[in-house]
Amino acid sequence: MTGTRSIYNLALIGFMGTGKSCVGRLAADLMHFTFLDTDHVIEARAGKAVSDIFAQDGEPAFREWERRIVEELTRRKKTVIATGGGLPANPSNLASLKTHALVVCLWASPDTIWERVRAHDHRPLLNEPDPLARIRELLATREPCYRQADVLVNTEMRSLREVAQHVIHQFHMAQSAR
Ligand code: S3P
């Protein structure tokens, strides 16, 4: 898996509601790494919420923001990166992350995802009459991208701390295997 890979950072990919931000923040704390959330970086740069970027500028504009932020991440060290759920759907984003990070995908079933996200309304792609159907459809489309991760971690039946510890363990194993 690692070969001659340079692994300075830990990148979390996965669908909305799989816990990338919460796990990432905790993992960064435990590892004494910096935490970075691509959605937050985009919001700070654009000066508006992700939902407003979607509504005012359209999804392609948001994807372009993601592409630019991913390019900048190649200069990072000791950073845990939580990515937006759609970011690895662009293969060049995923390829770029793999040049400096171990890429870990957090996984959950559509029903679990829906349970986790239903209380929040800041995700424009789920602003639909039947959000669960949308989750199933999007997840099925994106599954091949998520499976390109170095490691796949099922978050069902695991606490936040267990997931974070598992992810950190994978990171240390990958580093020592180089
Ligand atoms: C998106 C996921 C969101 C955010 C945007 C689009 C997606 O991030 O980037 O709403 O395409 O799946 P989270 O995965 O952090 O919710």
Side-chain angles (χ1 to χ4, degrees), residues 39-77:
D39 282 348
H40 293 167
V41 175
I42 292 169
E43 288 183 328
R45 295 274 177 88
K48 51 184 156 184
V50 167
S51 52
D52 290 330
I53 302 177
F54 269 74
Q56 295 163 17
D57 312 322
E59 183 172 348
F62 177 74
R63 300 302 172 198
E64 176 56 18
W65 273 112
E66 285 189 318
R67 194 193 61 73
R68 271 191 264 159
I69 301 302
V70 165
E71 254 174 27
E72 292 176 22
L73 294 175
T74 55
R75 297 192 285 274
R76 286 258 160 191
K77 298 261 157 58

PDB file of all heavy atoms in Angstrom, residues 39-77:
ATOM      1  N   ASP A  39     -14.088  22.112   4.337  1.00  0.00           N
ATOM      2  CA  ASP A  39     -15.278  22.966   4.249  1.00  0.00           C
ATOM      3  C   ASP A  39     -15.070  24.286   4.996  1.00  0.00           C
ATOM      4  O   ASP A  39     -15.499  25.348   4.534  1.00  0.00           O
ATOM      5  CB  ASP A  39     -16.511  22.257   4.831  1.00  0.00           C
ATOM      6  CG  ASP A  39     -17.094  21.227   3.872  1.00  0.00           C
ATOM      7  OD1 ASP A  39     -16.706  21.212   2.696  1.00  0.00           O
ATOM      8  OD2 ASP A  39     -17.952  20.441   4.315  1.00  0.00           O
ATOM      9  N   HIS A  40     -14.404  24.191   6.153  1.00  0.00           N
ATOM     10  CA  HIS A  40     -14.188  25.418   6.941  1.00  0.00           C
ATOM     11  C   HIS A  40     -13.209  26.357   6.245  1.00  0.00           C
ATOM     12  O   HIS A  40     -13.378  27.576   6.272  1.00  0.00           O
ATOM     13  CB  HIS A  40     -13.676  25.072   8.349  1.00  0.00           C
ATOM     14  CG  HIS A  40     -14.711  24.353   9.163  1.00  0.00           C
ATOM     15  ND1 HIS A  40     -14.413  23.714  10.334  1.00  0.00           N
ATOM     16  CD2 HIS A  40     -16.043  24.157   8.944  1.00  0.00           C
ATOM     17  CE1 HIS A  40     -15.519  23.173  10.812  1.00  0.00           C
ATOM     18  NE2 HIS A  40     -16.518  23.417   9.987  1.00  0.00           N
ATOM     19  N   VAL A  41     -12.184  25.776   5.631  1.00  0.00           N
ATOM     20  CA  VAL A  41     -11.217  26.610   4.902  1.00  0.00           C
ATOM     21  C   VAL A  41     -11.938  27.331   3.754  1.00  0.00           C
ATOM     22  O   VAL A  41     -11.764  28.536   3.536  1.00  0.00           O
ATOM     23  CB  VAL A  41     -10.039  25.768   4.355  1.00  0.00           C
ATOM     24  CG1 VAL A  41      -9.106  26.614   3.502  1.00  0.00           C
ATOM     25  CG2 VAL A  41      -9.276  25.106   5.491  1.00  0.00           C
ATOM     26  N   ILE A  42     -12.781  26.585   3.050  1.00  0.00           N
ATOM     27  CA  ILE A  42     -13.510  27.183   1.922  1.00  0.00           C
ATOM     28  C   ILE A  42     -14.431  28.305   2.422  1.00  0.00           C
ATOM     29  O   ILE A  42     -14.480  29.393   1.836  1.00  0.00           O
ATOM     30  CB  ILE A  42     -14.317  26.097   1.156  1.00  0.00           C
ATOM     31  CG1 ILE A  42     -13.349  25.141   0.446  1.00  0.00           C
ATOM     32  CG2 ILE A  42     -15.299  26.725   0.171  1.00  0.00           C
ATOM     33  CD1 ILE A  42     -13.992  23.889  -0.131  1.00  0.00           C
ATOM     34  N   GLU A  43     -15.138  28.041   3.518  1.00  0.00           N
ATOM     35  CA  GLU A  43     -16.056  29.065   4.043  1.00  0.00           C
ATOM     36  C   GLU A  43     -15.297  30.333   4.446  1.00  0.00           C
ATOM     37  O   GLU A  43     -15.744  31.447   4.182  1.00  0.00           O
ATOM     38  CB  GLU A  43     -16.838  28.504   5.244  1.00  0.00           C
ATOM     39  CG  GLU A  43     -17.870  27.477   4.801  1.00  0.00           C
ATOM     40  CD  GLU A  43     -18.737  26.945   5.946  1.00  0.00           C
ATOM     41  OE1 GLU A  43     -18.236  26.858   7.085  1.00  0.00           O
ATOM     42  OE2 GLU A  43     -19.903  26.614   5.668  1.00  0.00           O
ATOM     43  N   ALA A  44     -14.118  30.133   5.053  1.00  0.00           N
ATOM     44  CA  ALA A  44     -13.323  31.296   5.476  1.00  0.00           C
ATOM     45  C   ALA A  44     -12.840  32.086   4.259  1.00  0.00           C
ATOM     46  O   ALA A  44     -12.889  33.318   4.235  1.00  0.00           O
ATOM     47  CB  ALA A  44     -12.140  30.826   6.318  1.00  0.00           C
ATOM     48  N   ARG A  45     -12.396  31.361   3.238  1.00  0.00           N
ATOM     49  CA  ARG A  45     -11.872  32.047   2.039  1.00  0.00           C
ATOM     50  C   ARG A  45     -12.983  32.725   1.250  1.00  0.00           C
ATOM     51  O   ARG A  45     -12.823  33.838   0.754  1.00  0.00           O
ATOM     52  CB  ARG A  45     -11.205  31.032   1.098  1.00  0.00           C
ATOM     53  CG  ARG A  45      -9.998  30.376   1.631  1.00  0.00           C
ATOM     54  CD  ARG A  45      -8.740  31.220   1.373  1.00  0.00           C
ATOM     55  NE  ARG A  45      -7.627  30.533   1.977  1.00  0.00           N
ATOM     56  CZ  ARG A  45      -6.915  29.605   1.358  1.00  0.00           C
ATOM     57  NH1 ARG A  45      -7.149  29.301   0.108  1.00  0.00           N
ATOM     58  NH2 ARG A  45      -5.927  28.987   2.001  1.00  0.00           N
ATOM     59  N   ALA A  46     -14.099  32.007   1.108  1.00  0.00           N
ATOM     60  CA  ALA A  46     -15.198  32.539   0.289  1.00  0.00           C
ATOM     61  C   ALA A  46     -15.989  33.596   1.048  1.00  0.00           C
ATOM     62  O   ALA A  46     -16.730  34.379   0.450  1.00  0.00           O
ATOM     63  CB  ALA A  46     -16.124  31.397  -0.141  1.00  0.00           C
ATOM     64  N   GLY A  47     -15.859  33.567   2.379  1.00  0.00           N
ATOM     65  CA  GLY A  47     -16.596  34.528   3.194  1.00  0.00           C
ATOM     66  C   GLY A  47     -18.077  34.206   3.266  1.00  0.00           C
ATOM     67  O   GLY A  47     -18.900  35.087   3.523  1.00  0.00           O
ATOM     68  N   LYS A  48     -18.424  32.952   3.009  1.00  0.00           N
ATOM     69  CA  LYS A  48     -19.827  32.552   3.150  1.00  0.00           C
ATOM     70  C   LYS A  48     -19.932  31.052   3.401  1.00  0.00           C
ATOM     71  O   LYS A  48     -18.961  30.317   3.174  1.00  0.00           O
ATOM     72  CB  LYS A  48     -20.655  32.947   1.930  1.00  0.00           C
ATOM     73  CG  LYS A  48     -20.121  32.549   0.584  1.00  0.00           C
ATOM     74  CD  LYS A  48     -21.038  33.133  -0.504  1.00  0.00           C
ATOM     75  CE  LYS A  48     -20.304  33.292  -1.821  1.00  0.00           C
ATOM     76  NZ  LYS A  48     -21.119  33.923  -2.842  1.00  0.00           N
ATOM     77  N   ALA A  49     -21.102  30.653   3.860  1.00  0.00           N
ATOM     78  CA  ALA A  49     -21.329  29.243   4.196  1.00  0.00           C
ATOM     79  C   ALA A  49     -21.359  28.382   2.930  1.00  0.00           C
ATOM     80  O   ALA A  49     -21.698  28.882   1.844  1.00  0.00           O
ATOM     81  CB  ALA A  49     -22.649  29.099   4.938  1.00  0.00           C
ATOM     82  N   VAL A  50     -21.025  27.108   3.106  1.00  0.00           N
ATOM     83  CA  VAL A  50     -21.065  26.168   1.972  1.00  0.00           C
ATOM     84  C   VAL A  50     -22.440  26.208   1.302  1.00  0.00           C
ATOM     85  O   VAL A  50     -22.547  26.238   0.068  1.00  0.00           O
ATOM     86  CB  VAL A  50     -20.733  24.726   2.461  1.00  0.00           C
ATOM     87  CG1 VAL A  50     -21.070  23.699   1.393  1.00  0.00           C
ATOM     88  CG2 VAL A  50     -19.260  24.624   2.866  1.00  0.00           C
ATOM     89  N   SER A  51     -23.496  26.247   2.109  1.00  0.00           N
ATOM     90  CA  SER A  51     -24.852  26.244   1.523  1.00  0.00           C
ATOM     91  C   SER A  51     -25.088  27.499   0.672  1.00  0.00           C
ATOM     92  O   SER A  51     -25.775  27.436  -0.360  1.00  0.00           O
ATOM     93  CB  SER A  51     -25.916  26.122   2.616  1.00  0.00           C
ATOM     94  OG  SER A  51     -25.688  27.099   3.594  1.00  0.00           O
ATOM     95  N   ASP A  52     -24.483  28.616   1.070  1.00  0.00           N
ATOM     96  CA  ASP A  52     -24.630  29.837   0.260  1.00  0.00           C
ATOM     97  C   ASP A  52     -23.801  29.753  -1.027  1.00  0.00           C
ATOM     98  O   ASP A  52     -24.205  30.284  -2.068  1.00  0.00           O
ATOM     99  CB  ASP A  52     -24.216  31.078   1.067  1.00  0.00           C
ATOM    100  CG  ASP A  52     -25.225  31.374   2.174  1.00  0.00           C
ATOM    101  OD1 ASP A  52     -26.415  31.047   1.985  1.00  0.00           O
ATOM    102  OD2 ASP A  52     -24.824  31.905   3.225  1.00  0.00           O
ATOM    103  N   ILE A  53     -22.657  29.092  -0.951  1.00  0.00           N
ATOM    104  CA  ILE A  53     -21.862  28.912  -2.183  1.00  0.00           C
ATOM    105  C   ILE A  53     -22.681  28.082  -3.178  1.00  0.00           C
ATOM    106  O   ILE A  53     -22.800  28.430  -4.358  1.00  0.00           O
ATOM    107  CB  ILE A  53     -20.505  28.228  -1.900  1.00  0.00           C
ATOM    108  CG1 ILE A  53     -19.682  29.038  -0.887  1.00  0.00           C
ATOM    109  CG2 ILE A  53     -19.724  28.008  -3.205  1.00  0.00           C
ATOM    110  CD1 ILE A  53     -18.366  28.404  -0.482  1.00  0.00           C
ATOM    111  N   PHE A  54     -23.280  26.996  -2.683  1.00  0.00           N
ATOM    112  CA  PHE A  54     -24.113  26.167  -3.564  1.00  0.00           C
ATOM    113  C   PHE A  54     -25.269  26.983  -4.146  1.00  0.00           C
ATOM    114  O   PHE A  54     -25.536  26.930  -5.342  1.00  0.00           O
ATOM    115  CB  PHE A  54     -24.685  24.968  -2.793  1.00  0.00           C
ATOM    116  CG  PHE A  54     -23.825  23.723  -2.833  1.00  0.00           C
ATOM    117  CD1 PHE A  54     -22.655  23.638  -2.092  1.00  0.00           C
ATOM    118  CD2 PHE A  54     -24.194  22.616  -3.597  1.00  0.00           C
ATOM    119  CE1 PHE A  54     -21.870  22.492  -2.108  1.00  0.00           C
ATOM    120  CE2 PHE A  54     -23.410  21.469  -3.625  1.00  0.00           C
ATOM    121  CZ  PHE A  54     -22.252  21.407  -2.874  1.00  0.00           C
ATOM    122  N   ALA A  55     -25.945  27.737  -3.261  1.00  0.00           N
ATOM    123  CA  ALA A  55     -27.155  28.464  -3.695  1.00  0.00           C
ATOM    124  C   ALA A  55     -26.824  29.624  -4.629  1.00  0.00           C
ATOM    125  O   ALA A  55     -27.515  29.856  -5.622  1.00  0.00           O
ATOM    126  CB  ALA A  55     -27.912  28.967  -2.472  1.00  0.00           C
ATOM    127  N   GLN A  56     -25.744  30.353  -4.318  1.00  0.00           N
ATOM    128  CA  GLN A  56     -25.462  31.577  -5.091  1.00  0.00           C
ATOM    129  C   GLN A  56     -24.542  31.344  -6.283  1.00  0.00           C
ATOM    130  O   GLN A  56     -24.675  31.975  -7.320  1.00  0.00           O
ATOM    131  CB  GLN A  56     -24.832  32.628  -4.176  1.00  0.00           C
ATOM    132  CG  GLN A  56     -25.782  33.105  -3.092  1.00  0.00           C
ATOM    133  CD  GLN A  56     -25.057  33.827  -1.955  1.00  0.00           C
ATOM    134  OE1 GLN A  56     -23.917  34.240  -2.115  1.00  0.00           O
ATOM    135  NE2 GLN A  56     -25.712  33.963  -0.820  1.00  0.00           N
ATOM    136  N   ASP A  57     -23.567  30.429  -6.120  1.00  0.00           N
ATOM    137  CA  ASP A  57     -22.549  30.263  -7.168  1.00  0.00           C
ATOM    138  C   ASP A  57     -22.663  28.915  -7.889  1.00  0.00           C
ATOM    139  O   ASP A  57     -22.053  28.726  -8.932  1.00  0.00           O
ATOM    140  CB  ASP A  57     -21.143  30.382  -6.548  1.00  0.00           C
ATOM    141  CG  ASP A  57     -21.017  31.604  -5.639  1.00  0.00           C
ATOM    142  OD1 ASP A  57     -21.593  32.655  -5.990  1.00  0.00           O
ATOM    143  OD2 ASP A  57     -20.379  31.504  -4.579  1.00  0.00           O
ATOM    144  N   GLY A  58     -23.385  27.984  -7.279  1.00  0.00           N
ATOM    145  CA  GLY A  58     -23.571  26.674  -7.896  1.00  0.00           C
ATOM    146  C   GLY A  58     -22.552  25.649  -7.420  1.00  0.00           C
ATOM    147  O   GLY A  58     -21.476  26.009  -6.931  1.00  0.00           O
ATOM    148  N   GLU A  59     -22.905  24.376  -7.579  1.00  0.00           N
ATOM    149  CA  GLU A  59     -22.016  23.302  -7.123  1.00  0.00           C
ATOM    150  C   GLU A  59     -20.652  23.301  -7.826  1.00  0.00           C
ATOM    151  O   GLU A  59     -19.622  23.092  -7.178  1.00  0.00           O
ATOM    152  CB  GLU A  59     -22.695  21.929  -7.278  1.00  0.00           C
ATOM    153  CG  GLU A  59     -21.816  20.807  -6.742  1.00  0.00           C
ATOM    154  CD  GLU A  59     -22.489  19.443  -6.691  1.00  0.00           C
ATOM    155  OE1 GLU A  59     -23.729  19.367  -6.855  1.00  0.00           O
ATOM    156  OE2 GLU A  59     -21.752  18.455  -6.491  1.00  0.00           O
ATOM    157  N   PRO A  60     -20.585  23.574  -9.161  1.00  0.00           N
ATOM    158  CA  PRO A  60     -19.267  23.573  -9.808  1.00  0.00           C
ATOM    159  C   PRO A  60     -18.298  24.567  -9.169  1.00  0.00           C
ATOM    160  O   PRO A  60     -17.100  24.296  -9.057  1.00  0.00           O
ATOM    161  CB  PRO A  60     -19.570  23.942 -11.261  1.00  0.00           C
ATOM    162  CG  PRO A  60     -20.991  23.494 -11.466  1.00  0.00           C
ATOM    163  CD  PRO A  60     -21.669  23.739 -10.154  1.00  0.00           C
ATOM    164  N   ALA A  61     -18.816  25.711  -8.715  1.00  0.00           N
ATOM    165  CA  ALA A  61     -17.949  26.709  -8.058  1.00  0.00           C
ATOM    166  C   ALA A  61     -17.407  26.136  -6.751  1.00  0.00           C
ATOM    167  O   ALA A  61     -16.224  26.314  -6.415  1.00  0.00           O
ATOM    168  CB  ALA A  61     -18.731  27.992  -7.797  1.00  0.00           C
ATOM    169  N   PHE A  62     -18.254  25.421  -6.024  1.00  0.00           N
ATOM    170  CA  PHE A  62     -17.803  24.806  -4.777  1.00  0.00           C
ATOM    171  C   PHE A  62     -16.731  23.751  -5.058  1.00  0.00           C
ATOM    172  O   PHE A  62     -15.710  23.667  -4.365  1.00  0.00           O
ATOM    173  CB  PHE A  62     -18.991  24.178  -4.035  1.00  0.00           C
ATOM    174  CG  PHE A  62     -18.583  23.464  -2.779  1.00  0.00           C
ATOM    175  CD1 PHE A  62     -18.206  24.172  -1.645  1.00  0.00           C
ATOM    176  CD2 PHE A  62     -18.545  22.071  -2.739  1.00  0.00           C
ATOM    177  CE1 PHE A  62     -17.799  23.513  -0.485  1.00  0.00           C
ATOM    178  CE2 PHE A  62     -18.144  21.401  -1.591  1.00  0.00           C
ATOM    179  CZ  PHE A  62     -17.768  22.124  -0.462  1.00  0.00           C
ATOM    180  N   ARG A  63     -16.939  22.953  -6.099  1.00  0.00           N
ATOM    181  CA  ARG A  63     -15.954  21.898  -6.448  1.00  0.00           C
ATOM    182  C   ARG A  63     -14.614  22.525  -6.857  1.00  0.00           C
ATOM    183  O   ARG A  63     -13.562  21.936  -6.628  1.00  0.00           O
ATOM    184  CB  ARG A  63     -16.502  20.987  -7.560  1.00  0.00           C
ATOM    185  CG  ARG A  63     -17.794  20.260  -7.205  1.00  0.00           C
ATOM    186  CD  ARG A  63     -17.647  19.392  -5.972  1.00  0.00           C
ATOM    187  NE  ARG A  63     -18.939  18.853  -5.524  1.00  0.00           N
ATOM    188  CZ  ARG A  63     -19.158  18.371  -4.309  1.00  0.00           C
ATOM    189  NH1 ARG A  63     -18.186  18.350  -3.402  1.00  0.00           N
ATOM    190  NH2 ARG A  63     -20.337  17.908  -3.975  1.00  0.00           N
ATOM    191  N   GLU A  64     -14.689  23.678  -7.475  1.00  0.00           N
ATOM    192  CA  GLU A  64     -13.459  24.377  -7.844  1.00  0.00           C
ATOM    193  C   GLU A  64     -12.725  24.856  -6.592  1.00  0.00           C
ATOM    194  O   GLU A  64     -11.500  24.763  -6.509  1.00  0.00           O
ATOM    195  CB  GLU A  64     -13.797  25.540  -8.792  1.00  0.00           C
ATOM    196  CG  GLU A  64     -12.630  26.419  -9.198  1.00  0.00           C
ATOM    197  CD  GLU A  64     -11.446  25.684  -9.842  1.00  0.00           C
ATOM    198  OE1 GLU A  64     -11.630  24.533 -10.307  1.00  0.00           O
ATOM    199  OE2 GLU A  64     -10.321  26.246  -9.837  1.00  0.00           O
ATOM    200  N   TRP A  65     -13.459  25.334  -5.599  1.00  0.00           N
ATOM    201  CA  TRP A  65     -12.843  25.696  -4.312  1.00  0.00           C
ATOM    202  C   TRP A  65     -12.133  24.465  -3.727  1.00  0.00           C
ATOM    203  O   TRP A  65     -11.006  24.552  -3.261  1.00  0.00           O
ATOM    204  CB  TRP A  65     -13.915  26.157  -3.311  1.00  0.00           C
ATOM    205  CG  TRP A  65     -14.253  27.614  -3.373  1.00  0.00           C
ATOM    206  CD1 TRP A  65     -15.435  28.161  -3.798  1.00  0.00           C
ATOM    207  CD2 TRP A  65     -13.427  28.712  -2.971  1.00  0.00           C
ATOM    208  NE1 TRP A  65     -15.384  29.525  -3.691  1.00  0.00           N
ATOM    209  CE2 TRP A  65     -14.168  29.889  -3.173  1.00  0.00           C
ATOM    210  CE3 TRP A  65     -12.134  28.809  -2.455  1.00  0.00           C
ATOM    211  CZ2 TRP A  65     -13.663  31.157  -2.887  1.00  0.00           C
ATOM    212  CZ3 TRP A  65     -11.623  30.067  -2.160  1.00  0.00           C
ATOM    213  CH2 TRP A  65     -12.380  31.213  -2.378  1.00  0.00           C
ATOM    214  N   GLU A  66     -12.825  23.340  -3.746  1.00  0.00           N
ATOM    215  CA  GLU A  66     -12.240  22.122  -3.177  1.00  0.00           C
ATOM    216  C   GLU A  66     -10.935  21.768  -3.889  1.00  0.00           C
ATOM    217  O   GLU A  66      -9.932  21.437  -3.252  1.00  0.00           O
ATOM    218  CB  GLU A  66     -13.222  20.935  -3.325  1.00  0.00           C
ATOM    219  CG  GLU A  66     -14.379  20.984  -2.370  1.00  0.00           C
ATOM    220  CD  GLU A  66     -15.218  19.714  -2.360  1.00  0.00           C
ATOM    221  OE1 GLU A  66     -15.485  19.163  -3.453  1.00  0.00           O
ATOM    222  OE2 GLU A  66     -15.638  19.276  -1.296  1.00  0.00           O
ATOM    223  N   ARG A  67     -10.961  21.857  -5.206  1.00  0.00           N
ATOM    224  CA  ARG A  67      -9.786  21.498  -6.002  1.00  0.00           C
ATOM    225  C   ARG A  67      -8.588  22.384  -5.616  1.00  0.00           C
ATOM    226  O   ARG A  67      -7.470  21.911  -5.444  1.00  0.00           O
ATOM    227  CB  ARG A  67     -10.113  21.643  -7.500  1.00  0.00           C
ATOM    228  CG  ARG A  67      -9.126  20.993  -8.439  1.00  0.00           C
ATOM    229  CD  ARG A  67      -9.331  21.450  -9.869  1.00  0.00           C
ATOM    230  NE  ARG A  67      -9.160  22.896 -10.032  1.00  0.00           N
ATOM    231  CZ  ARG A  67      -7.997  23.532  -9.999  1.00  0.00           C
ATOM    232  NH1 ARG A  67      -6.878  22.858  -9.837  1.00  0.00           N
ATOM    233  NH2 ARG A  67      -7.938  24.853 -10.146  1.00  0.00           N
ATOM    234  N   ARG A  68      -8.864  23.667  -5.454  1.00  0.00           N
ATOM    235  CA  ARG A  68      -7.782  24.603  -5.109  1.00  0.00           C
ATOM    236  C   ARG A  68      -7.232  24.345  -3.716  1.00  0.00           C
ATOM    237  O   ARG A  68      -6.019  24.391  -3.499  1.00  0.00           O
ATOM    238  CB  ARG A  68      -8.300  26.048  -5.189  1.00  0.00           C
ATOM    239  CG  ARG A  68      -8.121  26.619  -6.586  1.00  0.00           C
ATOM    240  CD  ARG A  68      -8.376  28.109  -6.562  1.00  0.00           C
ATOM    241  NE  ARG A  68      -9.751  28.376  -6.945  1.00  0.00           N
ATOM    242  CZ  ARG A  68     -10.410  29.488  -6.650  1.00  0.00           C
ATOM    243  NH1 ARG A  68      -9.856  30.430  -5.925  1.00  0.00           N
ATOM    244  NH2 ARG A  68     -11.641  29.667  -7.064  1.00  0.00           N
ATOM    245  N   ILE A  69      -8.114  24.074  -2.771  1.00  0.00           N
ATOM    246  CA  ILE A  69      -7.662  23.813  -1.398  1.00  0.00           C
ATOM    247  C   ILE A  69      -6.829  22.537  -1.362  1.00  0.00           C
ATOM    248  O   ILE A  69      -5.783  22.470  -0.701  1.00  0.00           O
ATOM    249  CB  ILE A  69      -8.873  23.700  -0.426  1.00  0.00           C
ATOM    250  CG1 ILE A  69      -9.714  24.974  -0.433  1.00  0.00           C
ATOM    251  CG2 ILE A  69      -8.422  23.322   0.986  1.00  0.00           C
ATOM    252  CD1 ILE A  69      -8.976  26.243  -0.061  1.00  0.00           C
ATOM    253  N   VAL A  70      -7.261  21.514  -2.077  1.00  0.00           N
ATOM    254  CA  VAL A  70      -6.526  20.247  -2.106  1.00  0.00           C
ATOM    255  C   VAL A  70      -5.102  20.462  -2.627  1.00  0.00           C
ATOM    256  O   VAL A  70      -4.148  19.901  -2.100  1.00  0.00           O
ATOM    257  CB  VAL A  70      -7.282  19.195  -2.966  1.00  0.00           C
ATOM    258  CG1 VAL A  70      -6.391  18.017  -3.318  1.00  0.00           C
ATOM    259  CG2 VAL A  70      -8.501  18.700  -2.209  1.00  0.00           C
ATOM    260  N   GLU A  71      -4.970  21.293  -3.641  1.00  0.00           N
ATOM    261  CA  GLU A  71      -3.635  21.607  -4.181  1.00  0.00           C
ATOM    262  C   GLU A  71      -2.726  22.189  -3.102  1.00  0.00           C
ATOM    263  O   GLU A  71      -1.551  21.851  -3.007  1.00  0.00           O
ATOM    264  CB  GLU A  71      -3.768  22.644  -5.297  1.00  0.00           C
ATOM    265  CG  GLU A  71      -3.571  22.065  -6.673  1.00  0.00           C
ATOM    266  CD  GLU A  71      -3.851  23.108  -7.743  1.00  0.00           C
ATOM    267  OE1 GLU A  71      -3.694  24.319  -7.478  1.00  0.00           O
ATOM    268  OE2 GLU A  71      -4.240  22.688  -8.844  1.00  0.00           O
ATOM    269  N   GLU A  72      -3.298  23.085  -2.295  1.00  0.00           N
ATOM    270  CA  GLU A  72      -2.498  23.729  -1.244  1.00  0.00           C
ATOM    271  C   GLU A  72      -2.077  22.759  -0.144  1.00  0.00           C
ATOM    272  O   GLU A  72      -1.081  22.986   0.532  1.00  0.00           O
ATOM    273  CB  GLU A  72      -3.305  24.862  -0.591  1.00  0.00           C
ATOM    274  CG  GLU A  72      -3.550  26.024  -1.505  1.00  0.00           C
ATOM    275  CD  GLU A  72      -4.443  27.068  -0.845  1.00  0.00           C
ATOM    276  OE1 GLU A  72      -4.524  27.099   0.395  1.00  0.00           O
ATOM    277  OE2 GLU A  72      -5.072  27.841  -1.584  1.00  0.00           O
ATOM    278  N   LEU A  73      -2.858  21.705   0.038  1.00  0.00           N
ATOM    279  CA  LEU A  73      -2.584  20.776   1.143  1.00  0.00           C
ATOM    280  C   LEU A  73      -1.280  20.006   0.959  1.00  0.00           C
ATOM    281  O   LEU A  73      -0.744  19.463   1.925  1.00  0.00           O
ATOM    282  CB  LEU A  73      -3.741  19.774   1.294  1.00  0.00           C
ATOM    283  CG  LEU A  73      -5.078  20.359   1.721  1.00  0.00           C
ATOM    284  CD1 LEU A  73      -6.148  19.278   1.715  1.00  0.00           C
ATOM    285  CD2 LEU A  73      -4.966  20.982   3.102  1.00  0.00           C
ATOM    286  N   THR A  74      -0.764  19.972  -0.259  1.00  0.00           N
ATOM    287  CA  THR A  74       0.460  19.198  -0.520  1.00  0.00           C
ATOM    288  C   THR A  74       1.651  19.750   0.266  1.00  0.00           C
ATOM    289  O   THR A  74       2.642  19.068   0.431  1.00  0.00           O
ATOM    290  CB  THR A  74       0.815  19.195  -2.024  1.00  0.00           C
ATOM    291  OG1 THR A  74       0.898  20.552  -2.462  1.00  0.00           O
ATOM    292  CG2 THR A  74      -0.244  18.473  -2.845  1.00  0.00           C
ATOM    293  N   ARG A  75       1.531  20.991   0.739  1.00  0.00           N
ATOM    294  CA  ARG A  75       2.645  21.584   1.487  1.00  0.00           C
ATOM    295  C   ARG A  75       2.546  21.318   2.989  1.00  0.00           C
ATOM    296  O   ARG A  75       3.397  21.733   3.751  1.00  0.00           O
ATOM    297  CB  ARG A  75       2.681  23.099   1.236  1.00  0.00           C
ATOM    298  CG  ARG A  75       2.935  23.446  -0.220  1.00  0.00           C
ATOM    299  CD  ARG A  75       3.252  24.915  -0.383  1.00  0.00           C
ATOM    300  NE  ARG A  75       2.069  25.758  -0.270  1.00  0.00           N
ATOM    301  CZ  ARG A  75       1.256  26.038  -1.289  1.00  0.00           C
ATOM    302  NH1 ARG A  75       1.502  25.538  -2.481  1.00  0.00           N
ATOM    303  NH2 ARG A  75       0.206  26.813  -1.120  1.00  0.00           N
ATOM    304  N   ARG A  76       1.500  20.650   3.405  1.00  0.00           N
ATOM    305  CA  ARG A  76       1.230  20.454   4.838  1.00  0.00           C
ATOM    306  C   ARG A  76       2.052  19.334   5.461  1.00  0.00           C
ATOM    307  O   ARG A  76       2.430  18.378   4.800  1.00  0.00           O
ATOM    308  CB  ARG A  76      -0.238  20.081   5.013  1.00  0.00           C
ATOM    309  CG  ARG A  76      -1.159  21.234   4.824  1.00  0.00           C
ATOM    310  CD  ARG A  76      -1.581  21.684   6.170  1.00  0.00           C
ATOM    311  NE  ARG A  76      -2.075  23.034   6.163  1.00  0.00           N
ATOM    312  CZ  ARG A  76      -2.301  23.711   7.283  1.00  0.00           C
ATOM    313  NH1 ARG A  76      -2.051  23.173   8.448  1.00  0.00           N
ATOM    314  NH2 ARG A  76      -2.751  24.928   7.235  1.00  0.00           N
ATOM    315  N   LYS A  77       2.289  19.451   6.747  1.00  0.00           N
ATOM    316  CA  LYS A  77       2.897  18.362   7.525  1.00  0.00           C
ATOM    317  C   LYS A  77       2.113  18.250   8.833  1.00  0.00           C
ATOM    318  O   LYS A  77       1.582  19.255   9.328  1.00  0.00           O
ATOM    319  CB  LYS A  77       4.364  18.660   7.859  1.00  0.00           C
ATOM    320  CG  LYS A  77       5.268  18.798   6.636  1.00  0.00           C
ATOM    321  CD  LYS A  77       6.045  17.524   6.355  1.00  0.00           C
ATOM    322  CE  LYS A  77       6.502  17.421   4.913  1.00  0.00           C
ATOM    323  NZ  LYS A  77       7.335  18.483   4.398  1.00  0.00           N
TER     324      LYS A  77
END
